[in-house]
Amino acid sequence: MEVNHINAGYESENGYISVLKDVSLTVNRDIILGIAGESGSGKSTLAAVLYNSFRYPGTIRSGEVIFDGKNLLKMKPNELRKLRGTEISFIPQAAMNALNPVKKIRLQFYDMMIAHNIKENDFDSKISSSLELVRLQENVLDNFPHELSGGMRQRVVIAMSLLLSPKFIILDEPTTGLDVMVEHDILLDIKKIQRTLGLTIVFISHDLPILFGISDAIVMMYGGEIVESGDYEDLLRNPAHPYTYQLLKSIPLIGTKIDSSMIMKGIAIDFNHIPHGCYFHPRCNFAVPKCSDIHPELKQTDGKTHLYRCNRYPEWSRNAKLEAIGT
Amino acid sequence: MIIPYKYILKKTAAFVAVLYGAITLNFILPRLIPGDPAETVYSTIIREGGGSVSPRYLHQLAAEYGISNAPMYVQYYNYLVDLAHGNLGISVAFFPEPVSYILYHALPWTLLLVISSIAISFFVGNRMGRYAGIHRNSIKDLSMDMFAMFMASFPAFVLAFIVLDIFALDIKLFPIGGAYSIYVNPGFNIPFIISVIYHAVLPVLTIILTSLGGWELGMRNNIIPNINSDFISYSENLGFKKYQVNQIAYRNAILPNLTGFAMSVGLSVSGVIIEESIFSYPGVGLYMITAIDDLDYPLIQGIFLMVIIAVLVGNFIVDILYGFFDPRIRQESE
């Protein structure tokens, strides 16, 4: 999948609010691409645009999403409908409420297969192989959604999204509202399924430890732009953007007491008042005066795949290392 | 299908308890009103006749109307026994017809009006609301809502007169009143059935037009949050067909209207009084007006009892159906 120059935002009473600004990225086959950022960084907007499920007041001003040589954003509704669930799939943010409350799980699976004209003889074999993937017993099929626990409902949703073996899946914070153990279990399963079936996954989350744990490549978003992207190890060991660095530093480790020095200063960007120059400079520990004037372009580091959007790389990085040694 | 026995049992117990309470209230309330029908008739005769009438006549009247001076508990016991035998007393206005006989003949006409008109208006109104909700904020939606709001707030008696004036008096397409023509033989024969349908058209049309708007607005307002819900957007994201998505939203949105349906069937047994009296339709409502005019307590009491039972039974049926339609309700109460 290739995403080219997306500009998208929301219509409001005070006019158009631009959120995504010239976002381009390539999702390679058979990997998990993690998209990270704080709340309000535009990552969920990006997820909706990728799936062409961005609805009014959301508007896409320009750009294209190329999947299998076709632009998803220009597709006819019925063509797009046939693609959904079979080629591409989506696991939503509020997966707990994604199931119809008044219908048994089995019938919801059937509905999905009726929608895609699957032969009735194949219904049960498809359901059981899909449930096996997410390690659910077949007796959940005769339950209503409210009779299942949050984790089980989440697994049902994943099973439903994988039912017709799509190759490309977008997960928008799929584990919101689950406790850590269940979350961990589900993420391990997702990773395993991805490896065995050779899926391409776009994984969107604000939870950095999880994201770095599961992804092969990472895209960092800030203020509706990509501020850094590359291999997960590059970002983890050599962050090229202070935002990545400061976010990683703010992750509390078990055993350390949280103190205010760990927390990133400032609040997430307000799309009505976007700062001049680098969007991140008001919150950056390494900002210099030029940062408030010059809006940096995406640049490459020595490694080909590692992109960043900073005026002061690699100077700030050396300062940071010295600082770390000093303390 | 799993039959929620426990739920049904619970609802049945509640139904019986409320029914008993209502029957008891129906016994107590008229006895709190000063005077009785015998006194009313007696004083009317004195007032209008101008002469003096022997008080013995009052006792005779009281005996004929079955008014007793027995202690309350005896009266209450007799009341329950009478009720169990379907004996609701003797009408004053239609003396000496028993109340149960009047109701027995009036109720089918009211039920005919109520059930046919509410079924049609429920179906059409919900479909309209579904259409408006799916095309929300479009010109189709706005014009439909305008129509619905206008019709819902239009007084039934004004509409009934307008309909009567245009269709019965001006173009003489439909009869002015009554339930069937005097030229047909009541019974199960085709001319009679056609005549009944022909006479029911105008009152039914009036009831449909005035009740349609409520269903339309209710459905529209129920279906919009459903269309915006997570499970609908998830269905869309999985590539469900348009009709499947709409069906899911509709199915979830109709639940609140179902309660309204039962309530209105119950209430309408008395609620079509206006239509019945304007179209002189021989239903319960028409008798109720006469009964109130003539202070016919036994008949009023009988009609009230019937309305109460109709409302309770309507709600009971919906409660049970709800248990089947919405598994969440069933579970909460188990």
Side-chain angles (χ1 to χ4, degrees):
Chain A
M1 182 183 266
E2 229 174 89
V3 179
N4 295 320
H5 310 291
I6 293 287
N7 282 288
Y10 295 88
E11 300 290 349
S12 80
E13 283 170 20
N14 310 320
Y16 174 76
I17 298 167
S18 166
V19 175
L20 297 180
K21 287 169 280 285
D22 198 30
V23 172
S24 300
L25 59 95
T26 308
V27 187
N28 295 326
R29 271 174 198 282
D30 301 350
I31 64 156
I32 299 184
L33 174 75
I35 297 181
E38 290 165 289
S39 309
S41 61
K43 57 191 191 315
S44 283
T45 306
L46 180 60
V49 171
L50 285 184
Y51 204 67
N52 194 7
S53 59
F54 200 42
R55 294 285 169 264
Y56 187 85
T59 37
I60 301 170
R61 285 264 159 126
S62 64
E64 47 183 22
V65 177
I66 309 289
F67 176 78
D68 258 1
K70 280 184 237 160
N71 187 354
L72 286 185
L73 302 183
K74 287 268 158 63
M75 234 177 220
K76 289 197 191 86
N78 200 39
E79 235 179 304
L80 183 68
R81 180 189 75 70
K82 283 180 185 160
L83 207 65
R84 286 173 165 186
T86 55
E87 299 280 322
I88 54 176
S89 201
F90 191 87
I91 298 177
Q93 191 162 22
M96 310 277 282
N97 304 323
L99 297 167
N100 183 359
V102 299
K103 230 176 190 178
K104 284 189 180 160
I105 309 286
R106 183 191 299 279
L107 295 178
Q108 304 198 28
F109 276 98
Y110 284 179
D111 276 352
M112 160 112 190
M113 291 190 280
I114 291 166
H116 293 289
N117 306 321
I118 306 292
K119 274 194 236 93
E120 215 167 303
N121 298 342
D122 299 342
F123 278 15
D124 291 330
S125 65
K126 278 193 190 298
I127 291 177
S128 56
S129 61
S130 172
L131 285 182
E132 208 173 302
L133 279 178
V134 296
R135 295 195 289 128
L136 278 177
Q137 303 289 320
E138 297 218 356
N139 55 17
V140 298
L141 291 172
D142 294 314
N143 283 319
F144 288 102
H146 67 268
E147 294 169 333
L148 303 177
S149 70
M152 282 165 92
R153 252 183 280 176
Q154 180 68 52
R155 283 171 192 277
V156 170
V157 169
I158 296 173
M160 222 164 141
S161 298
L162 295 174
L163 186 64
L164 304 177
S165 26
K167 287 287 165 226
F168 186 95
I169 300 166
I170 296 166
L171 289 94
D172 185 8
E173 309 213 14
T175 50
T176 311
L178 297 180
D179 71 68
V180 185
M181 299 307 290
V182 177
E183 185 177 26
H184 187 78
D185 257 16
I186 288 180
L187 291 174
L188 276 180
D189 281 345
I190 290 177
K191 181 107 181 171
K192 208 171 80 195
I193 294 166
Q194 187 262 333
R195 290 286 187 257
T196 44
L197 299 182
L199 304 177
T200 309
I201 288 182
V202 172
F203 189 98
I204 290 160
S205 178
H206 60 266
D207 193 331
L208 285 191
I210 278 173
L211 201 77
F212 276 80
I214 197 173
S215 307
D216 303 302
I218 304 258
V219 170
M220 299 291 302
M221 303 266 310
Y222 187 79
E225 309 185 300
I226 294 175
V227 293
E228 187 172 2
S229 71
D231 199 63
Y232 95 96
E233 224 166 299
D234 285 344
L235 262 76
L236 189 63
R237 310 225 182 285
N238 289 309
H241 197 282
Y243 181 55
T244 316
Y245 174 76
Q246 283 170 235
L247 269 185
L248 287 171
K249 250 184 63 173
S250 71
I251 297 169
L253 289 171
I254 291 180
T256 54
K257 289 268 176 278
I258 295 176
D259 69 70
S260 57
S261 72
M262 290 168 65
I263 295 164
M264 201 187 314
K265 66 182 177 187
I267 49 163
I269 196 160
D270 174 0
F271 284 105
N272 287 314
H273 306 98
I274 289 175
H276 260 287
C278 174
Y279 297 162
F280 186 60
H281 83 266
R283 303 173 67 188
C284 182
N285 292 343
F286 309 96
V288 292
K290 76 167 175 180
C291 289
S292 53
D293 290 332
I294 304 164
H295 184 70
E297 295 301 316
L298 263 184
K299 283 171 272 202
Q300 271 181 10
T301 59
D302 316 335
K304 280 243 155 74
T305 54
H306 193 175
L307 303 176
Y308 66 98
R309 193 189 283 277
C310 179
N311 289 324
R312 289 201 65 214
Y313 184 77
E315 294 101 77
W316 74 261
S317 175
R318 276 197 291 273
N319 294 349
K321 272 173 196 151
L322 288 175
E323 206 178 274
I325 293 163
T327 51
Chain B
M1 180 171 245
I2 314 156
I3 297 169
Y5 291 108
K6 230 174 163 181
Y7 175 81
I8 291 177
L9 198 71
K10 220 169 156 175
K11 288 291 168 191
T12 312
F15 169 71
V16 170
V18 175
L19 183 65
Y20 177 73
I23 287 172
T24 306
L25 270 183
N26 199 43
F27 168 81
I28 297 171
L29 287 180
R31 281 162 178 79
L32 295 178
I33 304 169
D36 60 49
E39 276 174 31
T40 312
V41 172
Y42 181 70
S43 58
T44 309
I45 289 169
I46 291 175
R47 198 170 59 242
E48 285 173 6
S52 66
V53 182
S54 157
R56 264 187 296 175
Y57 184 60
L58 178 62
H59 295 303
Q60 192 191 334
L61 277 173
E64 274 169 2
Y65 291 141
I67 295 160
S68 89
N69 290 319
M72 273 300 157
Y73 66 88
V74 177
Q75 284 191 38
Y76 183 58
Y77 174 77
N78 288 337
Y79 166 79
L80 289 182
V81 171
D82 281 352
L83 204 59
H85 291 96
N87 181 2
L88 296 169
I90 307 234
S91 165
V92 176
F94 301 93
F95 189 80
E97 302 280 22
V99 169
S100 52
Y101 178 83
I102 294 171
L103 292 182
Y104 178 75
H105 285 272
L107 189 60
W109 295 115
T110 297
L111 287 181
L112 177 76
L113 280 197
V114 168
I115 291 177
S116 57
S117 60
I118 290 186
I120 296 173
S121 108
F122 183 75
F123 182 78
V124 176
N126 277 317
R127 286 286 152 165
M128 281 170 69
R130 170 182 169 157
Y131 185 83
I134 288 168
H135 299 93
R136 61 196 173 283
N137 301 331
S138 70
I139 190 81
K140 297 169 195 166
D141 172 29
L142 286 179
S143 46
M144 212 171 262
D145 290 350
M146 290 274 281
F147 171 76
M149 242 177 272
F150 180 74
M151 288 322 296
S153 47
F154 204 88
F157 61 91
V158 177
L159 186 72
F161 277 128
I162 292 173
V163 166
L164 192 69
D165 190 47
I166 294 173
F167 292 102
L169 295 175
D170 284 356
I171 56 177
K172 298 193 167 56
L173 200 60
F174 291 102
I176 301 174
Y180 52 90
S181 161
I182 50 166
Y183 301 109
V184 296
N185 249 340
F188 196 74
N189 55 60
I190 289 169
F192 175 70
I193 292 172
I194 290 175
S195 177
V196 166
I197 294 173
Y198 181 54
H199 280 75
V201 169
L202 288 187
V204 166
L205 182 75
T206 312
I207 304 171
I208 289 176
L209 283 176
T210 45
S211 59
L212 199 62
W215 299 126
E216 196 273 350
L217 292 172
M219 173 44 86
R220 178 189 179 271
N221 293 340
N222 290 337
I223 203 169
I224 287 177
N226 267 295
I227 288 174
N228 293 330
S229 71
D230 288 332
F231 56 86
I232 288 296
S233 63
Y234 184 57
S235 314
E236 280 174 347
N237 285 342
L238 290 180
F240 278 43
K241 288 177 180 160
K242 195 82 201 132
Y243 82 87
Q244 288 179 309
V245 174
N246 290 340
Q247 198 58 42
I248 295 173
Y250 183 61
R251 167 77 166 64
N252 278 281
I254 206 164
L255 291 173
N257 264 9
L258 215 58
T259 320
F261 181 74
M263 299 276 285
S264 64
V265 169
L267 286 174
S268 292
V269 170
S270 67
V272 291
I273 298 172
I274 290 164
E275 286 83 357
E276 282 181 350
S277 56
I278 291 175
F279 292 102
S280 4
Y281 205 81
V284 176
L286 197 63
Y287 283 100
M288 185 148 134
I289 300 237
T290 318
I292 291 173
D293 273 351
D294 296 352
L295 291 177
D296 186 348
Y297 289 112
L299 187 53
I300 295 173
Q301 206 175 343
I303 291 175
F304 280 170
L305 190 67
M306 202 180 65
V307 171
I308 290 167
I309 292 173
V311 172
L312 285 180
V313 169
N315 278 320
F316 175 67
I317 292 172
V318 159
D319 264 346
I320 298 294
L321 287 181
Y322 233 98
F324 284 102
F325 287 140
D326 194 341
R328 289 166 299 182
I329 302 274
R330 187 163 73 219
Q331 207 185 37
E332 270 162 31
S333 64
E334 266 175 13

